[in-house]
Amino acid sequence: MTGATCAVTQAYEEYLAFTEERLCGRCLPCLTAAPLIIDIFRRLRQGAATSADIDQLEKICAEVFITALCKHGQKAVEKISRAIGDYRTAFETHARDKRCPERSCEKLLRYTINPGRCTGCGKCRDICPAGAIVGESFIPFRTDNHPYVIIGNRCTRCGLCLTVCEEKAIEVA
C-alpha cells in the first residue's frame, strides 16, 4: 500500500467498489456476506473492532471463496484475504490499538498538545468548534497553571486547531 491510504481503507474501498459495480444479487453467499464484510470494515476504521473481527472477516472470505457462483465474488474476497495476510499488522493495529498506522482513518486519529511547544496563546481553544480544548493561558510566576489539553472524546478531528497553531504544538497520532 502506498500513499496516505492504509491497507484497511484500501481493501474496504475496493470491496465497496465490487458491491457497487459487480455484485449481481444472484449469488446467495456474496449477497449475505456483503453487509457483514462492510460492517466489519467500518468497525475497523472507527476503532470499534476487535482481533476476533479480523478472524471473522477471514472466515467469511474463505467461505464465500468456496461457495460463490462466479469469479467476481471469489476475486473480491480473495483480495481481502490477501490484504489481511500481507498487512496483518495494520489490521491488528486498527483492532487492538484503535490506531491507524498510516493516519488515514479519521476516526482513529488522536490530537494532542505538546506542552513543551505550546506557548499558551489560546488560539486553538478559541477556534475549536467542539470545545474539546481546555486549559488556560500561561501566567508567569504562577504555580497552578493549567496547560492546554485536548479532550479526546470531544474532539471531532476537524483539524482547525492545526491551522492556527503557529508553534506546531498540536500533534496528530
Side-chain angles (χ1 to χ4, degrees), residues 35-170:
L36 299 173
I37 291 171
I38 290 169
D39 180 56
I40 292 172
F41 270 121
R42 284 191 179 144
R43 284 187 282 134
L44 276 167
R45 296 179 68 232
Q46 293 176 354
T50 64
S51 293
D53 289 318
I54 298 170
D55 297 336
Q56 182 69 24
L57 183 59
E58 284 182 306
K59 184 178 176 185
I60 292 169
C61 290
E63 290 174 6
V64 170
F65 186 80
I66 293 168
T67 59
L69 300 176
C70 72
K71 55 181 140 176
H72 299 298
Q74 290 174 336
K75 190 185 245 183
V77 294
E78 183 181 29
K79 283 183 178 180
I80 295 171
S81 296
R82 194 174 316 122
I84 294 171
D86 293 347
Y87 302 98
R88 182 109 192 157
T89 306
F91 278 80
E92 288 291 339
T93 303
H94 278 74
R96 183 185 55 243
D97 302 337
K98 312 300 182 209
R99 189 176 59 78
C100 177
E102 299 294 327
R103 291 195 256 167
S104 67
C105 296
E106 190 175 298
K107 295 284 186 182
L108 299 179
L109 294 178
R110 292 185 199 135
Y111 285 66
T112 58
I113 297 176
N114 182 336
R117 286 185 155 171
C118 181
T119 60
C121 68
K123 291 178 184 177
C124 58
R125 182 192 62 201
D126 296 339
I127 201 166
C128 181
I133 301 175
V134 296
E136 59 189 18
S137 297
F138 178 76
I139 301 170
F141 308 108
R142 196 168 137 195
T143 59
D144 62 341
N145 284 306
H146 299 288
Y148 290 109
V149 294
I150 299 174
I151 300 171
N153 59 354
R154 273 196 208 168
C155 181
T156 60
R157 296 155 190 86
C158 66
L160 290 174
C161 56
L162 292 169
T163 62
V164 297
C165 184
E166 296 169 3
E167 306 303 321
K168 306 288 184 224
I170 299 174

